[in-house]
Structures are given as structure tokens and as C-alpha cells.
Amino acid sequence: MIKRFLFLAMMLGAMALTTGCAVNRATANLMPGADLSTVKSVYVVKEPKDDRGVGELIQANFAKRGYKADIGPEQAKPYKSDAVVTYIDKWMWDITMYLLELTITVRDKNELPLATGNSLHTSLTRKSPPDMVDEVVTNIVNAKPTK
């Protein structure tokens, strides 16, 4: 009986050590009636507290896809670009700081939502900030309209 108990306790302990909180999610939604094919230029609104360069990564990612991409502080409406891009980045500490979650929203020049994308990777499935930006922007650009 004691051997069974010790074996069970060892197995539960081993399972606790080998299983972790491995969560990842990557989604994108295009708003009904939205057409991103008409968007040729984007303005990335740089978050004032962004000291890790996420805004610049988003701008560079849109630029490499052929968009005219500018970045700067929030401006008065309407924006001069075809779309305005905003983002929320959440960081977490686990031995080192890493980007836990990134949400990017694309809005028209009057700031009505066109598309939104999100990526969440916990410490076991973490991605670099450029990879997370690429994942979200790719999903937004490839999103199909909802019915």
C-alpha cells in the first residue's frame, strides 16, 4: 500500500513538473463591410509609454507589405492616411521580460474599426516581438469578412 502511495505521489509530482501553462492564441476579425484592399497607407499611433519599439515594429511590418506606413503621436481627425493603426502590448516577467499579448486595431481615417487582430503567447510558447507583430498583421491582412 505504501509503495502504491509513493508511486502515485511520484507520478503526480512528475506531471506537475512537466506540464506548464502553454497557451497560445492568434486571431483576427474583419468588420462586416470592411475592405482592406482599398487601404494603401497607414498611420501607426505610437503609444506614449511604448519604450520597447512595438509601434516601430508594426510600422515596419506594414511597410514591408507595401503600405505607405508612418508613425507618430495621436492626431486630430480625420487622419491623412487611409487607415489608422492602434495597438495594446502587454508584457510579462518570467526570467526575462517578454511580450505576452499584442492587440492591433486597424481603423478608417475617421477611426471606425475595420479589423482587429490579437496574439497571446505565454512563457512556454513565447515569440519575439517582431514575430508576434508579424503574426498579428498577417492574420489581419488575410482575414476574411464575417457575414
Side-chain angles (χ1 to χ4, degrees), residues 41-109:
S41 62
V42 297
Y43 182 83
V44 178
V45 177
K46 182 171 174 62
E47 290 297 316
K49 294 181 180 179
D50 180 5
D51 58 351
R52 293 184 172 97
V54 175
E56 286 81 3
L57 292 172
I58 295 169
Q59 175 202 16
N61 197 285
F62 274 101
K64 83 174 186 181
R65 295 169 189 275
Y67 293 90
K68 180 183 179 305
D70 295 315
I71 186 170
E74 189 170 2
Q75 298 177 349
K77 299 175 206 168
Y79 282 83
K80 293 179 177 73
S81 60
D82 298 331
V84 179
V85 177
T86 57
Y87 60 96
I88 300 170
D89 56 330
K90 294 182 183 174
W91 294 79
M92 184 67 73
W93 173 262
D94 185 5
I95 312 273
T96 62
M97 289 298 288
Y98 70 96
L99 184 54
L100 171 68
E101 185 174 15
L102 177 64
T103 302
I104 297 175
T105 304
V106 179
R107 305 177 193 306
D108 68 13
K109 58 178 70 181

Side-chain angles (χ1 to χ4, degrees), residues 131-147:
D131 288 342
M132 288 207 28
V133 167
D134 189 62
E135 180 176 59
V136 177
V137 174
T138 297
N139 289 342
I140 288 172
V141 170
N142 294 336
K144 303 295 183 218
T146 56
K147 295 182 181 182

Side-chain angles (χ1 to χ4, degrees), residues 4 12 31 66 118 120 124-125 129 132 142:
R4 263 192 208 163
L12 288 173
M31 301 305 152
N118 175 274
L120 172 91
L124 293 178
T125 63
M132 288 207 28
N142 294 336

